[in-house]
Short mmCIF file of all heavy atoms in Angstrom, two decimals:
data_model
loop_
_atom_site.label_atom_id
_atom_site.label_comp_id
_atom_site.label_asym_id
_atom_site.label_seq_id
_atom_site.Cartn_x
_atom_site.Cartn_y
_atom_site.Cartn_z
N ALA W 363 -63.06 -3.85 34.83
CA ALA W 363 -61.76 -4.46 34.60
C ALA W 363 -61.01 -3.83 33.44
O ALA W 363 -59.79 -3.96 33.35
CB ALA W 363 -61.93 -5.96 34.36
N LYS W 364 -61.73 -3.13 32.54
CA LYS W 364 -61.09 -2.62 31.32
C LYS W 364 -61.11 -1.11 31.19
O LYS W 364 -60.54 -0.56 30.26
CB LYS W 364 -61.74 -3.25 30.09
CG LYS W 364 -61.50 -4.75 29.98
CD LYS W 364 -62.06 -5.30 28.67
CE LYS W 364 -61.76 -6.79 28.53
NZ LYS W 364 -62.29 -7.33 27.25
N SER W 365 -61.81 -0.40 32.07
CA SER W 365 -61.89 1.06 31.93
C SER W 365 -62.07 1.72 33.28
O SER W 365 -62.44 1.08 34.27
CB SER W 365 -63.03 1.45 30.99
OG SER W 365 -64.27 1.08 31.52
N LEU W 366 -61.82 3.04 33.27
CA LEU W 366 -61.86 3.82 34.50
C LEU W 366 -62.19 5.26 34.15
O LEU W 366 -61.58 5.84 33.25
CB LEU W 366 -60.50 3.74 35.19
CG LEU W 366 -60.25 4.55 36.45
CD1 LEU W 366 -61.14 4.06 37.59
CD2 LEU W 366 -58.78 4.46 36.85
N THR W 367 -63.18 5.86 34.84
CA THR W 367 -63.61 7.22 34.52
C THR W 367 -63.48 8.12 35.75
O THR W 367 -63.95 7.78 36.84
CB THR W 367 -65.07 7.24 34.02
OG1 THR W 367 -65.17 6.44 32.84
CG2 THR W 367 -65.51 8.66 33.69
N PHE W 368 -62.85 9.30 35.54
CA PHE W 368 -62.72 10.33 36.58
C PHE W 368 -63.56 11.53 36.17
O PHE W 368 -63.63 11.88 34.98
CB PHE W 368 -61.27 10.78 36.73
CG PHE W 368 -60.33 9.74 37.26
CD1 PHE W 368 -59.58 8.97 36.39
CD2 PHE W 368 -60.20 9.54 38.63
CE1 PHE W 368 -58.69 8.02 36.88
CE2 PHE W 368 -59.32 8.59 39.12
CZ PHE W 368 -58.57 7.82 38.25
N GLU W 369 -64.12 12.21 37.16
CA GLU W 369 -64.81 13.48 36.92
C GLU W 369 -64.33 14.50 37.96
O GLU W 369 -64.07 14.15 39.11
CB GLU W 369 -66.33 13.32 37.00
CG GLU W 369 -66.92 12.54 35.85
CD GLU W 369 -68.44 12.57 35.84
OE1 GLU W 369 -69.03 13.41 36.57
OE2 GLU W 369 -69.04 11.75 35.12
N GLY W 370 -64.24 15.76 37.52
CA GLY W 370 -63.82 16.82 38.43
C GLY W 370 -63.85 18.16 37.73
O GLY W 370 -64.63 18.37 36.79
N THR W 371 -63.00 19.08 38.18
CA THR W 371 -62.95 20.41 37.58
C THR W 371 -61.53 20.73 37.19
O THR W 371 -60.56 20.24 37.79
CB THR W 371 -63.44 21.48 38.58
OG1 THR W 371 -62.60 21.47 39.73
CG2 THR W 371 -64.88 21.22 39.00
N VAL W 372 -61.41 21.55 36.17
CA VAL W 372 -60.12 22.09 35.77
C VAL W 372 -60.36 23.57 35.45
O VAL W 372 -61.02 23.91 34.49
CB VAL W 372 -59.52 21.32 34.57
CG1 VAL W 372 -60.47 21.26 33.40
CG2 VAL W 372 -58.17 21.90 34.16
N GLY W 373 -59.87 24.44 36.32
CA GLY W 373 -60.15 25.86 36.17
C GLY W 373 -61.63 26.13 36.29
O GLY W 373 -62.27 25.76 37.28
N THR W 374 -62.22 26.75 35.28
CA THR W 374 -63.65 27.08 35.28
C THR W 374 -64.50 25.99 34.67
O THR W 374 -65.72 26.16 34.57
CB THR W 374 -63.87 28.38 34.50
OG1 THR W 374 -63.51 28.17 33.13
CG2 THR W 374 -63.07 29.53 35.08
N SER W 375 -63.89 24.92 34.23
CA SER W 375 -64.60 23.92 33.43
C SER W 375 -64.72 22.59 34.17
O SER W 375 -63.94 22.28 35.08
CB SER W 375 -63.88 23.69 32.10
OG SER W 375 -63.74 24.90 31.38
N ARG W 376 -65.70 21.81 33.73
CA ARG W 376 -65.84 20.44 34.20
C ARG W 376 -65.02 19.54 33.29
O ARG W 376 -64.86 19.80 32.11
CB ARG W 376 -67.30 20.00 34.17
CG ARG W 376 -68.25 20.88 34.94
CD ARG W 376 -67.99 20.92 36.42
NE ARG W 376 -68.13 19.62 37.07
CZ ARG W 376 -67.95 19.40 38.38
NH1 ARG W 376 -67.63 20.41 39.18
NH2 ARG W 376 -68.10 18.20 38.89
N ILE W 377 -64.50 18.46 33.86
CA ILE W 377 -63.64 17.56 33.09
C ILE W 377 -64.03 16.11 33.38
O ILE W 377 -64.35 15.75 34.51
CB ILE W 377 -62.15 17.80 33.41
CG1 ILE W 377 -61.26 16.87 32.58
CG2 ILE W 377 -61.86 17.63 34.90
CD1 ILE W 377 -59.78 17.17 32.70
N VAL W 378 -64.03 15.31 32.32
CA VAL W 378 -64.24 13.86 32.42
C VAL W 378 -63.09 13.18 31.69
O VAL W 378 -62.82 13.50 30.52
CB VAL W 378 -65.60 13.44 31.80
CG1 VAL W 378 -65.76 11.92 31.90
CG2 VAL W 378 -66.76 14.14 32.48
N LYS W 379 -62.42 12.27 32.37
CA LYS W 379 -61.30 11.54 31.77
C LYS W 379 -61.58 10.04 31.87
O LYS W 379 -61.81 9.52 32.97
CB LYS W 379 -59.99 11.85 32.51
CG LYS W 379 -59.61 13.33 32.49
CD LYS W 379 -58.49 13.64 33.47
CE LYS W 379 -57.16 13.12 33.01
NZ LYS W 379 -56.06 13.56 33.91
N THR W 380 -61.56 9.37 30.73
CA THR W 380 -61.83 7.93 30.69
C THR W 380 -60.61 7.20 30.13
O THR W 380 -60.22 7.43 28.98
CB THR W 380 -63.06 7.62 29.82
OG1 THR W 380 -64.20 8.31 30.35
CG2 THR W 380 -63.35 6.12 29.82
N PHE W 381 -60.01 6.36 30.95
CA PHE W 381 -58.90 5.52 30.53
C PHE W 381 -59.43 4.12 30.26
O PHE W 381 -60.30 3.62 31.00
CB PHE W 381 -57.83 5.45 31.62
CG PHE W 381 -57.19 6.77 31.93
CD1 PHE W 381 -57.69 7.59 32.96
CD2 PHE W 381 -56.09 7.21 31.22
CE1 PHE W 381 -57.09 8.80 33.26
CE2 PHE W 381 -55.48 8.43 31.51
CZ PHE W 381 -55.99 9.23 32.53
N ALA W 382 -58.90 3.46 29.24
CA ALA W 382 -59.37 2.12 28.91
C ALA W 382 -58.24 1.29 28.32
O ALA W 382 -57.32 1.82 27.67
CB ALA W 382 -60.54 2.19 27.93
N LEU W 383 -58.30 -0.02 28.54
CA LEU W 383 -57.37 -0.95 27.92
C LEU W 383 -57.77 -1.17 26.47
O LEU W 383 -58.96 -1.19 26.15
CB LEU W 383 -57.37 -2.28 28.67
CG LEU W 383 -57.01 -2.23 30.16
CD1 LEU W 383 -57.15 -3.63 30.77
CD2 LEU W 383 -55.61 -1.70 30.36
N THR W 384 -56.80 -1.32 25.60
CA THR W 384 -57.08 -1.53 24.18
C THR W 384 -56.79 -2.95 23.72
O THR W 384 -57.20 -3.34 22.64
CB THR W 384 -56.24 -0.58 23.32
OG1 THR W 384 -54.85 -0.92 23.46
CG2 THR W 384 -56.46 0.87 23.73
N GLY W 385 -56.06 -3.71 24.53
CA GLY W 385 -55.68 -5.05 24.13
C GLY W 385 -54.36 -5.13 23.40
O GLY W 385 -53.84 -6.22 23.16
N ARG W 386 -53.78 -3.97 23.04
CA ARG W 386 -52.48 -3.97 22.37
C ARG W 386 -51.36 -3.84 23.42
O ARG W 386 -51.58 -3.30 24.50
CB ARG W 386 -52.40 -2.82 21.37
CG ARG W 386 -53.41 -2.91 20.24
CD ARG W 386 -53.26 -1.78 19.26
NE ARG W 386 -51.98 -1.81 18.57
CZ ARG W 386 -51.60 -0.91 17.66
NH1 ARG W 386 -52.41 0.10 17.36
NH2 ARG W 386 -50.44 -1.01 17.07
N PRO W 387 -50.16 -4.32 23.09
CA PRO W 387 -49.08 -4.29 24.08
C PRO W 387 -48.76 -2.87 24.54
O PRO W 387 -48.62 -1.96 23.72
CB PRO W 387 -47.89 -4.90 23.32
CG PRO W 387 -48.49 -5.71 22.23
CD PRO W 387 -49.75 -5.00 21.84
N PHE W 388 -48.66 -2.68 25.84
CA PHE W 388 -48.22 -1.43 26.47
C PHE W 388 -49.08 -0.23 26.04
O PHE W 388 -48.58 0.89 25.95
CB PHE W 388 -46.74 -1.16 26.15
CG PHE W 388 -45.85 -2.34 26.41
CD1 PHE W 388 -45.34 -3.09 25.36
CD2 PHE W 388 -45.53 -2.71 27.71
CE1 PHE W 388 -44.54 -4.19 25.60
CE2 PHE W 388 -44.72 -3.81 27.97
CZ PHE W 388 -44.22 -4.56 26.90
N GLU W 389 -50.36 -0.45 25.83
CA GLU W 389 -51.21 0.62 25.28
C GLU W 389 -52.48 0.81 26.10
O GLU W 389 -53.09 -0.15 26.57
CB GLU W 389 -51.57 0.31 23.83
CG GLU W 389 -52.35 1.43 23.16
CD GLU W 389 -52.73 1.09 21.73
OE1 GLU W 389 -51.86 1.18 20.85
OE2 GLU W 389 -53.90 0.71 21.49
N LEU W 390 -52.85 2.08 26.26
CA LEU W 390 -54.13 2.49 26.84
C LEU W 390 -54.75 3.51 25.90
O LEU W 390 -54.08 4.08 25.04
CB LEU W 390 -53.91 3.15 28.21
CG LEU W 390 -53.42 2.28 29.36
CD1 LEU W 390 -52.81 3.16 30.45
CD2 LEU W 390 -54.57 1.46 29.94
#
Side-chain angles (χ1 to χ4, degrees):
K364 294 185 177 181
S365 64
L366 176 65
T367 300
F368 293 96
E369 290 188 14
T371 60
V372 55
T374 64
S375 303
R376 304 296 298 181
I377 181 172
V378 178
K379 300 168 73 174
T380 302
F381 297 93
L383 302 176
T384 66
R386 297 182 64 180
F388 311 105
E389 185 182 282
L390 292 160

